[in-house]
Amino acid sequence: MTLDRSSGPGEGTTARIAVPAGRAVRVRVPATSANLGPGFDSLGLALSLYDEVDVRVRREPGATVTVEGVGAGEVPTDDTNLVVRAVRRGLEHAGVEQPGLELRAVNAIPHGRGMGSSAAAIVAGLMAARGLLEGIVDLDASTLLTLATEMEGHPDNVAPALFGGLTIAWMTADGPAYKRLLVHRGVAPVVFVPTSTLSTKLARSLQPESVPHADAAFNVSRSALLVAALIQSPELLLAATEDRLHQTYRASAMPETDALIRLLRQHGLAAVVSGAGPSLLVLGSDPAQRLTAAALVERHAESTWRPLMLAVDLGGATVNAHPVDHVGRS
């Protein structure tokens, strides 16, 4: 099998090869929390809560999807499924023929709650494409980040989902870029997940097009301090997570989140909106702070919030060859 590259690599090539029927991979992708207070659209943290997806190439066209856990009975189970769309985007970029696909997803990341579920779906599909293309075409890290950012619209969640740890992501004239950093071992995250949801589109619509110079300067200093706090000095997390760019503007859409964040911060805990919300993230400077936060939320919350005591994920998304029998046969 050969791939005609007369038009250059990737998109625009004439596909003369296909991924063999029966090839199968398993992908695991972590949840993420973006912004982390002041790091709007740039800082993201990978967390130890995972979606797992098995993908198998079949001879029959189209796609079928089975979903267990979060999203079962809610997300599309055909070619419109976001994971399927991301798989096909990766294969399209490689100039490879589109095969029939069979997917089985076991999801743990909450949907619509600011924990990067859409980023995880996109990264899962692209990583699956990478695995299916092994030995045929290489989708390198830069390509994966670019494609994921195009689909998601911004890199702050897809970067930590791909690479793990704490990531700083930014846009250049040539596309998205990132820097991965190791988090201090004393940092102890806990996410409180409400029963309510909030769309990222709605949350972003509440942002003003411009902010006062003093607020921008404030966030520049806090963002720099936050990086130092997360990698070296966790005792500075409370001051480092102050924000004036997005959380106040979005508070009206999630009043209980806002009230709990104010309460937790009054008790010295580094509480912020997780991503677009409405979940809230507490970055403890030691594990004991997570228990303090959980007790405060349980005592004062007006509705039910599920605490997730998580670690920082260090590895990011993974893909491995998977036995066909475990994925299913058509």
Side-chain angles (χ1 to χ4, degrees):
M1 295 185 294
T2 62
L3 183 64
D4 180 357
R5 299 194 180 278
S6 58
S7 299
E11 295 169 298
T13 62
T14 301
R16 293 182 179 175
I17 61 172
V19 181
R23 179 170 287 195
V25 294
R26 169 169 288 179
V27 178
R28 190 172 84 148
V29 185
T32 54
S33 183
N35 302 328
L36 311 181
F40 184 64
D41 275 4
S42 59
L43 296 183
L45 190 67
L47 300 169
S48 60
L49 184 69
Y50 303 93
D51 284 354
E52 288 192 349
V53 183
D54 295 328
V55 181
R56 183 179 72 88
V57 173
R58 65 182 188 185
R59 292 184 177 85
E60 294 79 2
T64 57
V65 181
T66 302
V67 179
E68 299 177 20
V70 177
E74 299 174 0
V75 301
T77 55
D78 55 16
D79 263 299
T80 63
N81 180 278
L82 185 54
V83 180
V84 175
R85 286 159 49 199
V87 175
R88 297 207 182 284
R89 183 69 185 92
L91 298 178
E92 176 188 43
H93 179 84
V96 175
E97 293 176 5
Q98 292 289 346
L101 296 171
E102 183 174 330
L103 276 75
R104 175 176 175 266
V106 180
N107 296 335
I109 302 172
H111 289 183
R113 290 177 174 84
M115 295 189 69
S117 60
S118 63
I122 290 167
V123 168
L126 291 171
M127 288 292 289
R130 181 188 213 179
L132 294 173
L133 291 168
E134 184 175 358
I136 302 172
V137 179
D138 179 37
L139 294 180
D140 61 20
S142 176
T143 298
L144 291 172
L145 179 60
T146 297
L147 295 177
T149 301
E150 288 175 357
M151 293 189 70
E152 178 74 348
H154 38 87
D156 53 346
N157 279 110
V158 296
L162 278 167
F163 308 116
L166 169 68
T167 58
I168 306 170
W170 66 97
M171 296 299 297
T172 74
D174 297 321
Y178 80 100
K179 174 64 178 178
R180 178 182 179 275
L181 300 170
L182 292 178
V183 176
H184 191 283
R185 62 183 182 180
V187 175
V190 54
V191 179
F192 294 92
V193 183
T195 55
S196 60
T197 62
L198 179 68
S199 75
T200 301
K201 183 178 180 179
L202 172 60
R204 285 184 171 270
S205 72
L206 300 173
Q207 294 289 125
E209 293 186 3
S210 61
V211 297
H213 181 275
D215 289 349
F218 181 95
N219 268 61
V220 168
S221 67
R222 294 310 189 273
S223 296
L225 181 62
L226 181 54
V227 173
L230 285 169
I231 68 175
Q232 182 176 331
S233 305
E235 70 277 5
L236 298 175
L237 279 168
L238 181 61
T241 48
E242 293 179 303
D243 163 70
R244 293 184 183 175
L245 285 189
H246 68 103
Q247 294 182 134
T248 301
Y249 298 109
R250 296 173 172 181
S252 62
M254 41 185 155
E256 190 173 7
T257 300
D258 181 61
L260 287 173
I261 287 174
R262 292 176 185 274
L263 172 72
L264 291 165
R265 295 189 68 85
Q266 288 170 3
H267 283 79
L269 300 168
V272 298
V273 177
S274 180
S279 295
L280 66 90
L281 167 71
V282 174
L283 293 169
S285 58
D286 64 69
Q289 286 196 342
R290 302 197 298 188
L291 301 178
T292 301
L296 285 167
V297 170
E298 184 176 12
R299 189 179 312 132
H300 294 280
E302 297 178 359
S303 60
T304 301
W305 291 68
R306 179 164 61 108
L308 299 176
M309 307 284 182
L310 304 173
V312 176
D313 170 85
L314 301 179
T318 59
V319 58
N320 296 287
H322 191 56
V324 175
D325 289 342
H326 288 198
V327 183
R329 296 181 185 276
S330 59

